[in-house]
Amino acid sequence: MKKKRENMKITVIGGGPGGLYFSILTKKAIPHCQIDVYERNRPDDSFGFGVVFSDETLGEFLKKDMPSYELIRSKFAYWDDIIIARDGQKISSAGNGFCGCSRKTLLKLLHQRCQEEGVNLHFEANIDDLSQFKGSDIIVACDGISSQIRTQFERDFGTKVALKKNKFVWMGSTKPLDAFTYFFKDTPNGAFAAHTYQYEEGMSTWIFECAPETWEKFEFDTYNEEDTVQKLKELFKEELEGHGLITNKSHWRQFPHVTNENWYKDNVVLLGDAKATAHYSIGSGTKLAMESAIALSDAIVASPKDIEKAYKAYEKARRNTVEMIQYAANVSLDWFENIDRHIQHPFYQFAFGCMTRSKKVTYENLRIRDNSFTDKVLAEFNDSNENKTPAAFSKFKLRDLELQNRIVMSPMGQYTANDGLVNDWHFQHYTSRAVGGLGLILTEMTAISTTGRITLGCAGIYTNTQIEAWKRITNFIHTQTQSKIGIQLGHSGRKGATKKPWETEDLEDKWELLSASPISFNEHFSKPKEMTLEDMDSITNQFVQATKNANEAGFDMIELQAHHGFLLASFLSPLTNIRKDEFGGSIENRLKFPLRVFKVMREVFPKEKPMSVRISATDWAEDGISEKEVILIATAFKNAGADIINVSTGNTVAYQKPKIGRMWQTPFSDVIRNTVTIPTITTGYIQDIDQINTIILNGRADLVALGRPLLLDPNFVRNAQAYEGFQAEDIPNPYKMGISHLYPLKAFERKQTEGMKKALKPKSNKK
């Protein structure tokens, strides 16, 4: 795809902001090239009202094209605050630099810049056939979400379009707004959200959205603008304060999530919404299009005679960033799609959840920007303006068990036991973390029988010798620390009889594996036996005896292992349970055996001691367990006496495709906690105290479990307490002398970190 022509010919299909801005930048950099922009609408047509840019995006405009920046800046409305209002309550968060600009005005300004640079603009030119552009070196397809060009070659591009759940409608109003404002309304028919901002004097954008069930109950009509206006004006009459709503093809829609596996084909390249969409709740699609326009122009300017190289450079420069933005947008969108679940929260927690919904913004980010906002959130959480205890270090109670803080050690296999017997390694492993100040320690999965082990190095609790070995650990923790310790009881099922993680050779003497159905985990595992009724009776008895043994060993709590495709979990997932009897088929049937095991365990475990169940809330695989089924599972265990659900995901099948990122499993914990109304433990790439505080304060979980961060840092909690300036009461006397060193050190590190965050904040573009 190398081009030798001196005078490059570029065709841009679609005259939106992305295509226009690309044309301006490229024509400036390569003045002798010919650029033609073809737009289906007239110059004065514009659909939608305002667009939003952040200080960061405005800074990019400033660097790339000063005249465009100045023209946009001369017309925008700037705000620093975000206001969240719900049914008469309101809170403001400062330090957020954004601007709103009329989409119509923005297009006019970009038209002006195109004409100044010599770009040819063609209006009322609907392009659906590329044959007329055979002489073009480059064809930029930026003709919108429903791109005709992309659709013609969707197999080549690998196009996927998924309609999201919520209904939304885009309108305008003459209502003036001092800040970007989220208005929320709770009604008997469901909740509404209005995303609003002023984009020029006397004009503001209003995007209303609600769940499809709410939309149906209000009997909205997709295309009846007059009916929509009347209903929304009445619903938001207090917020509109007498101002009307303005329509412009304001039809109810569902947001289309667009992705493309390939961004170019031959000499055709995608840009803007034709390439990728990001939900409006984290910012404008216009912002994404114009930032991508910068990257595409830069790539072509760098390699004008090798277009394929340019396209590859463009995709390399933007692919990861775009996918990260789309991921954050989907997480943000998920929060709005579940407003009915979140709106039950106390107001400040609700507002905090809204601000931190995409996981990009945390408690510490907000505190640096505006501590008056976070002070209100923390005071509500602690039910006191005087109590400044960080959320992570607040106490939490399960039955008669009180935890000194909300930080948990997740079960992590050590694979160093001999014949199921824990030893000095386990003693130092668990006791050092207890001395380190954890609220709760959950042991590695501890087998209920010899054949219930995953490896030969797994711990067990099925002999008296094993009970005594565990007692040594629990006794130390109870006498020398204020930490509590729970044991996770489980059976490996189809994932048993395997080598330790660091071993290279497969296990020679394998034992018979059991599972709900005879489906091996992968090609390296034996095919398990489908459990009979006799097997179920035997396994149930083993769980009962292990429960009694755990109580004798002095454990404060028991967690039942029903996750990651192990024995009990294999009954729950439709991917691992294809039984035709009463234990297969419906979720009610698939639940029968795991629920039976839990109930008999609960009967023999002291009533004052709590029990947890760890489940996988998704299989990360097609036709796996559904959210509805997970809710039924959690509800059933709650009704059977579970006090808390430890929410994990995946590892059910070897061909899973998880979407991993920071705090990536918290949405699943959120669903269970706030739908089933039961406390939850969450985990998954949670790495610092700020993330822990954020998760607890926004109501996604009650306890936060750490795995790998604790492997090489048994004093994670002590360092976090020093960072937060929290005066812990459980530091052992021999170690208290260390306070005078650690606390000033961490205070200095925090000051440096906050200074860097402030320095990295984009410069304000306020006029």
Side-chain angles (χ1 to χ4, degrees):
M1 216 194 301
K2 293 187 178 181
K3 297 292 178 180
K4 301 296 184 183
R5 182 186 304 161
E6 290 298 323
N7 295 322
M8 182 183 293
K9 188 174 182 181
I10 300 174
T11 298
V12 178
I13 301 171
L20 294 172
Y21 198 53
F22 162 80
S23 301
I24 294 164
L25 298 180
T26 309
K27 184 66 175 173
K28 271 184 67 177
I30 314 175
H32 56 270
C33 75
Q34 178 186 333
I35 302 181
D36 290 89
V37 178
Y38 295 87
E39 167 56 41
R40 69 170 68 96
N41 298 307
R42 295 169 299 183
D44 291 335
D45 289 343
S46 180
F47 306 105
F49 295 91
V51 296
V52 178
F53 298 121
S54 66
D55 272 331
E56 183 179 13
T57 305
L58 289 168
E60 286 298 308
F61 294 170
L62 173 61
K63 286 189 287 185
K64 291 297 177 181
D65 184 48
M66 174 70 82
S68 296
Y69 169 79
E70 290 296 350
L71 284 171
I72 295 169
R73 190 167 175 264
S74 69
K75 298 294 184 181
F76 68 46
Y78 189 92
W79 63 84
D80 197 54
D81 292 356
I82 291 177
I83 293 173
I84 296 169
R86 186 185 79 181
D87 298 325
Q89 291 180 287
K90 184 166 39 174
I91 186 173
S92 174
S93 175
N96 308 280
F98 288 95
C99 84
C101 179
S102 163
R103 179 176 173 81
K104 193 169 184 177
T105 300
L106 176 63
L107 290 174
K108 284 183 177 180
L109 298 177
L110 294 176
H111 290 162
Q112 178 184 328
R113 286 290 299 124
C114 280
Q115 290 162 356
E116 290 170 355
E117 294 296 338
V119 174
N120 304 315
L121 302 178
H122 308 271
F123 296 100
E124 298 182 77
N126 188 44
I127 305 298
D128 55 12
D129 181 9
L130 296 183
S131 62
Q132 60 189 295
F133 303 118
K134 288 180 179 178
S136 295
D137 298 283
I138 292 171
I139 298 175
V140 181
C142 49
D143 48 341
I145 288 175
S146 303
S147 169
Q148 291 177 307
I149 307 304
R150 183 197 66 213
T151 302
Q152 288 180 41
F153 307 107
E154 60 182 15
R155 286 191 177 182
D156 296 287
F157 290 123
T159 305
K160 293 180 182 177
V161 181
L163 288 181
K164 296 302 182 178
K165 185 177 71 172
N166 268 12
K167 296 277 192 174
F168 74 94
V169 63
W170 207 297
M171 294 185 170
S173 177
T174 55
K175 158 77 175 174
L177 294 165
D178 296 328
F180 190 108
T181 306
Y182 293 108
F183 291 112
F184 295 94
K185 281 282 184 182
D186 195 11
T187 80
N189 290 331
F192 277 85
H195 310 240
T196 71
Y197 57 90
Q198 188 160 313
Y199 59 84
E200 65 181 32
E201 189 174 351
M203 290 298 297
S204 52
T205 292
W206 289 65
I207 309 169
F208 299 94
E209 74 168 297
C210 63
E213 298 82 7
T214 302
W215 188 84
E216 289 173 1
K217 288 176 183 176
F218 273 87
E219 298 182 340
F220 285 110
D221 183 278
T222 299
Y223 302 106
N224 191 334
E225 292 181 341
E226 184 179 347
D227 178 67
T228 295
V229 166
Q230 290 306 314
K231 287 175 179 174
L232 291 176
K233 272 179 65 178
E234 177 60 27
L235 189 61
F236 286 87
K237 61 183 178 182
E238 293 175 2
E239 290 76 13
L240 287 164
E241 294 181 328
H243 291 266
L245 291 171
I246 303 164
T247 61
N248 181 356
K249 291 196 175 181
S250 300
H251 303 151
W252 288 95
R253 291 178 285 162
Q254 291 166 270
F255 187 81
H257 179 67
V258 176
T259 59
N260 288 279
E261 291 178 14
N262 307 302
W263 287 3
Y264 63 91
K265 166 190 160 44
D266 301 327
N267 67 332
V268 180
V269 64
L270 300 176
L271 182 66
D273 285 344
K275 169 179 61 64
T277 57
H279 191 251
Y280 51 81
S281 63
I282 69 159
S284 166
T286 305
K287 158 187 154 63
L288 193 62
M290 292 179 72
E291 288 176 346
S292 291
I294 292 171
L296 178 58
S297 178
D298 286 348
I300 290 171
V301 170
S303 304
K305 295 185 178 181
D306 191 341
I307 300 308
E308 185 173 10
K309 181 180 179 182
Y311 286 173
K312 285 181 177 178
Y314 160 59
E315 187 162 344
K316 183 179 180 181
R318 289 294 293 171
R319 169 72 75 173
N320 187 51
T321 300
V322 167
E323 289 182 350
M324 285 175 61
I325 291 171
Q326 285 192 296
Y327 176 78
N330 278 346
V331 175
S332 172
L333 175 153
D334 179 80
W335 190 89
F336 280 99
E337 286 187 336
N338 292 287
I339 304 170
D340 289 304
R341 188 168 78 223
H342 304 302
I343 210 161
Q344 65 182 304
H345 290 321
F347 176 64
Y348 292 130
Q349 184 179 65
F350 172 79
F352 181 75
C354 180
M355 291 295 294
T356 59
R357 65 189 179 276
S358 73
K359 299 187 291 185
K360 291 178 69 176
V361 176
T362 63
Y363 175 81
E364 200 165 298
N365 296 144
L366 292 175
R367 194 190 64 79
I368 292 171
R369 294 179 196 176
D370 182 359
N371 60 11
S372 67
F373 177 88
T374 50
D375 284 350
K376 291 183 178 72
V377 174
L378 188 59
E380 180 188 75
F381 177 82
N382 286 324
D383 198 24
S384 167
N385 285 312
E386 304 302 319
N387 185 355
K388 304 294 185 182
T389 301
F393 303 129
S394 60
K395 297 184 188 309
F396 189 73
K397 196 168 185 180
L398 292 166
R399 299 203 180 203
D400 288 354
L401 181 68
E402 184 174 80
L403 306 180
Q404 64 176 342
N405 60 57
R406 308 290 189 105
I407 306 175
V408 179
M409 184 166 84
S410 195
M412 292 180 288
Q414 296 301 291
Y415 308 109
T416 55
N418 296 309
D419 294 325
L421 190 67
V422 293
N423 50 45
D424 286 349
W425 175 265
H426 300 86
F427 182 85
Q428 72 77 31
H429 174 64
Y430 293 115
T431 61
S432 63
R433 274 83 184 162
V435 171
L438 285 164
L440 175 65
I441 291 168
L442 291 174
T443 71
E444 60 203 277
M445 189 282 280
T446 304
I448 59 171
S449 67
T450 303
T451 54
R453 291 177 294 170
I454 303 169
T455 73
L456 292 176
C458 287
I461 193 163
Y462 43 86
T463 70
N464 290 331
T465 308
Q466 291 166 356
I467 295 171
E468 292 304 312
W470 278 117
K471 274 185 183 180
R472 178 174 172 239
I473 294 170
T474 60
N475 285 342
F476 180 93
I477 290 174
H478 291 147
T479 57
Q480 302 297 330
T481 80
Q482 292 184 27
S483 296
K484 307 300 180 184
I485 182 167
I487 187 171
Q488 186 186 84
L489 297 179
H491 189 292
S492 58
R494 62 202 273 268
K495 297 174 80 173
T498 189
K499 61 186 178 182
K500 299 173 186 177
W502 50 81
E503 291 178 337
T504 56
E505 299 295 327
D506 278 336
L507 197 65
E508 290 185 4
D509 298 324
K510 294 189 175 184
W511 53 86
E512 183 180 57
L513 303 182
L514 297 175
S515 191
S517 297
I519 303 171
S520 58
F521 179 66
N522 63 31
E523 66 275 13
H524 301 295
F525 284 82
S526 305
K527 189 175 182 179
K529 171 191 173 187
E530 180 172 294
M531 287 181 71
T532 64
L533 292 177
E534 290 75 17
D535 292 328
M536 292 184 198
D537 288 341
S538 175
I539 293 295
T540 301
N541 291 334
Q542 289 172 3
F543 269 107
V544 168
Q545 188 57 54
T547 301
K548 294 176 180 177
N549 293 349
N551 186 52
E552 185 182 343
F555 285 99
D556 302 301
M557 175 178 170
I558 286 177
E559 177 167 279
L560 178 62
Q561 178 210 54
H563 70 301
H564 287 188
F566 294 111
L567 183 65
L568 297 184
S570 72
F571 279 84
L572 297 175
S573 172
L575 299 178
T576 51
N577 183 344
I578 55 173
R579 299 174 71 102
K580 302 300 182 183
D581 61 5
E582 62 176 308
F583 298 99
S586 70
I587 185 58
E588 289 80 8
N589 284 356
R590 301 193 323 256
L591 251 170
K592 281 182 179 178
F593 180 57
L595 206 56
R596 171 193 172 188
V597 169
F598 179 83
K599 285 178 177 178
V600 294
M601 291 172 66
R602 182 67 272 183
E603 286 174 5
V604 299
F605 198 52
K607 290 182 179 180
E608 68 275 10
K609 291 186 177 183
M611 284 186 62
S612 167
V613 182
R614 192 173 193 191
I615 64 172
S616 286
T618 179
D619 294 325
W620 296 114
E622 191 174 349
D623 299 322
I625 202 162
S626 69
E627 182 179 296
K628 183 178 179 181
E629 290 176 332
V630 169
I631 289 170
L632 286 170
I633 290 168
T635 301
F637 280 118
K638 174 189 174 183
N639 293 338
D643 302 286
I644 193 166
I645 304 292
N646 192 342
V647 185
S648 189
T649 63
N651 291 311
T652 304
V653 291
Y655 53 87
Q656 66 175 5
K657 293 182 179 179
K659 296 176 182 176
I660 297 174
R662 57 181 175 178
M663 301 181 279
W664 61 293
Q665 297 188 105
T666 57
F668 300 97
S669 169
D670 183 352
V671 170
I672 293 171
R673 180 184 189 271
N674 297 306
T675 302
V676 181
T677 318
I678 186 171
T680 58
I681 305 173
T682 193
T683 188
Y685 277 23
I686 300 164
Q687 296 174 308
D688 58 46
I689 190 63
D690 181 32
Q691 292 174 347
I692 296 171
N693 284 326
T694 301
I695 291 164
I696 295 167
L697 285 171
N698 65 24
R700 289 181 179 260
D702 299 275
L703 301 176
V704 175
L706 305 178
R708 294 177 187 180
L710 288 172
L711 286 178
L712 294 180
D713 186 6
N715 288 306
F716 175 94
V717 173
R718 298 299 181 210
N719 287 310
Q721 288 167 339
Y723 182 85
E724 292 285 328
F726 177 74
Q727 300 299 319
E729 297 177 354
D730 70 317
I731 297 175
N733 288 329
Y735 289 173
K736 283 183 178 176
M737 292 288 286
I739 293 173
S740 62
H741 166 77
L742 184 63
Y743 276 60
L745 174 64
K746 292 300 176 182
F748 176 72
E749 289 178 358
R750 179 169 190 164
K751 187 176 180 180
Q752 283 188 313
T753 301
E754 292 180 353
M756 288 174 61
K757 287 182 178 180
K758 289 175 182 177
L760 290 171
K761 189 177 186 296
K763 182 182 177 182
S764 172
N765 290 271
K766 190 172 184 178
K767 291 175 285 188

